[in-house]
Amino acid sequence: HVQLVESGGNSVQARGSLTLSCVISGLRLDDYCLGWFRQIPGKEREGVASIDDDGTITYEDSVQGRFTISRDNAKNTLYMEMNNLKPEDTGTYYCAADRETRRCTSARGEHDYNYWGQGTQVTVS
């Protein structure tokens, strides 16, 4: 049974920082494509960052240089450190996983991921 549980969302002021965590059970992190998405009400989820099975990382342009995705295989946890947060970063953040590791980039659509967490809210004011 695969389960993803996010935490770490909060309300912060602009230029602040947060670190999101996603504890994943039921799969090996380094066998999967892992991603972080965010969603604003009324819009589709957009990919923010991804890390594939061999550790290759990609970012959506607006977060490049501010966000850092990482994974700890021993702790079965995916992270995203977010610095210099902006109001436009506000949204619900989801972690996702999929066994298909080809084309594992931040541009990969939400429909190409099989497993999802429940989301954690980030509000930047």
Side-chain angles (χ1 to χ4, degrees), residues 19-83:
T19 297
L20 306 183
S21 300
C22 174
V23 177
I24 303 174
S25 56
L27 57 83
R28 282 175 53 100
L29 267 62
D30 54 357
D31 283 343
Y32 279 70
C33 171
L34 305 173
W36 283 100
F37 283 71
R38 68 182 169 204
Q39 186 171 29
I40 301 167
K43 292 195 171 183
E44 287 193 352
R45 294 178 191 180
E46 64 167 350
V48 173
S50 67
I51 180 169
D52 73 6
D53 55 330
D54 67 6
T56 300
I57 289 171
T58 67
Y59 296 100
E60 191 270 329
D61 287 347
S62 70
V63 308
Q64 181 79 46
R66 300 188 297 122
F67 290 11
T68 303
I69 187 173
S70 63
R71 68 174 185 232
D72 185 328
N73 295 335
K75 294 183 178 180
N76 268 36
T77 302
L78 178 71
Y79 300 97
M80 188 158 70
E81 179 182 350
M82 305 188 295
N83 297 310

